[in-house]
Amino acid sequence: MGERLPDPELFRQGGFRVASRLFIEGDIRGDERQVARLRQFAQREDPAADVLAPLLRNSRPEFEQALRQGIDSVQSPPEELEAFFRNVEATPYWVDRDRLDRGARAITRAGLLGLFPLGDVSLMGGYLASRATKSLVGTGEIEYKAARRLVETATWWIHVTTPGALVPGGRGYESALRVRIVHAHVRAAMNRRKDWDYAAWDRPVNQVQTAGTLLLFSLVYVFGTQLLGLRYSARERADILHLWRYVGWLMGVDEELLPAGEDDAWRLLWLLATTEFIPDDDSKRLAAALMKAHAGIGDGRGALGKVLAHVSVAGHGAISRLLLGKTNADFLELPDDPIAQAAVVAAAGVNFAAETVRRVVPGATALQELIGAAGRRHYLRQVTKVFGLDPTYGRHMKAA
């Protein structure tokens, strides 16, 4: 091992500085050789999915059938389609269905509270990775339809984290593979652009960026909910990461980039923060669009709507600022409201107290899982009704 590198900005302040002291054992800092190894994956895409993107114009029915019933149900499938599904149907030896179910139940227990760190830390934090934002900006939709994309991301996240949904033909299994194909279409679109700067931005939607997204939805999500007062056992945290390891495998992430445990995940996040979390003006634009989406809760509600919009922006901004740190929050031009930040800290204290009681009262955890699941189902019904969501993500493929 070479000399360890200094901590990146993300780990110097805010919630991640707290994490380095409370949740991380040992020194997770990497060296130059580890950084160089990670950066090699920024030039790798997903060949198995990329060859399907043009084929699906004529083979869409076969893809849908294989997705729901397995590749053996398709008569004479195209070679590329068969190779793709033979691979994803060959479940890795390390996948433990019981652990997938336990991890999903632990996530479900958070209910709608889980959507706060998902949007305010995972998505907002992802905007700090300026190379990854180039594909988002390139499609044009994340900035101008931020509310819809936020809801679609939350919906996808709920689908893949629902207990029992990652079995072949299940909603989570389908959603993971569909988004993998969407990524292939986006890559194809970005690779057709004459202005794509490979030297500055790497390959579009590359392996490093996809692995980073998975960490934001898994490790960072768990960490974010912990700072909001939720409590997990060590086994629950490990099971959540196990679930996302399998989701990443379904989505075509190289196994070398799939953390096998919490220590691996923190080390990978540290390397990503060092090499990828370098914000630019596009980061600011996307952050502003997301905050505008939060303000949209007050649209059409008159004076009350203005109050709701202010509270929404202040609350979401406070969570992002507390966890991402002052320097990152200031760069993204997030609101700095001390009252809202104090309210978030107070709410976290209340959550922590309630969680402490839950852990010692017989049956309370199972009850909380039922309540969380009901809240998530209600959310899905409402946003599907309002936004008319397409579970096949066909709109994104056409847009790409």
Side-chain angles (χ1 to χ4, degrees), residues 38-59:
L38 176 68
R39 290 294 301 150
Q40 290 177 10
F41 287 95
Q43 304 306 320
R44 298 188 189 180
E45 298 176 335
D46 182 2
D50 292 339
V51 297
L52 285 185
L55 285 177
L56 290 183
R57 296 190 185 97
N58 300 317
S59 303

Side-chain angles (χ1 to χ4, degrees), residues 17-57:
R17 184 169 180 266
V18 174
S20 66
R21 297 184 176 185
L22 298 181
F23 304 124
I24 301 174
E25 295 184 6
D27 191 344
I28 63 170
R29 293 177 299 158
D31 60 26
E32 291 287 359
R33 285 182 294 182
Q34 290 174 314
V35 167
R37 176 57 180 163
L38 176 68
R39 290 294 301 150
Q40 290 177 10
F41 287 95
Q43 304 306 320
R44 298 188 189 180
E45 298 176 335
D46 182 2
D50 292 339
V51 297
L52 285 185
L55 285 177
L56 290 183
R57 296 190 185 97

Side-chain angles (χ1 to χ4, degrees), residues 3-9 11-12 29-32 270 273-274:
E3 183 178 351
R4 295 181 188 269
L5 298 172
D7 278 331
E9 185 63 47
F11 282 83
R12 293 177 188 169
R29 293 177 299 158
D31 60 26
E32 291 287 359
W270 188 95
T274 297

